[in-house]
Amino acid sequence: MSMESNIRDAVEPLGPPCAANIYTGSAETYFVFNYQVIPDNFADNEPQHERYLVQLHLYAPHTQNTESLRK
């Protein structure tokens, strides 16, 4: 599985649509995520792991109460 599909699988049950980088739909409430992969734990001049830096953003009208969605 890719990191993108893992993020989508985790976020989609919450309800609002979820998109990578840019959302082009018409929903007022939605999630957008991005991530960066960097090498980590070097040994013998080679990375032993990859570190994923993930950002998940919730966009909603300022009048909407999103407290339960954020929990």
Side-chain angles (χ1 to χ4, degrees):
M1 284 189 111
S2 70
M3 179 55 75
E4 187 170 321
S5 64
N6 287 342
I7 295 169
R8 286 182 192 276
D9 290 345
V11 175
E12 283 180 348
L14 298 175
C18 179
N21 301 316
I22 298 172
Y23 177 70
T24 57
S26 60
E28 289 186 349
T29 303
Y30 57 90
F31 290 101
V32 174
F33 67 89
N34 59 40
Y35 64 92
Q36 181 180 8
V37 183
I38 57 175
D40 202 4
N41 296 340
F42 282 84
D44 297 328
N45 293 326
E46 294 288 328
Q48 304 300 306
H49 298 90
E50 293 179 328
R51 181 182 300 193
Y52 287 82
L53 306 175
V54 179
Q55 294 182 333
L56 176 65
H57 306 276
L58 170 61
Y59 291 90
H62 72 279
T63 56
Q64 181 179 348
N65 183 355
T66 61
E67 183 176 359
S68 63
L69 183 60
R70 289 181 285 130
K71 283 184 180 182

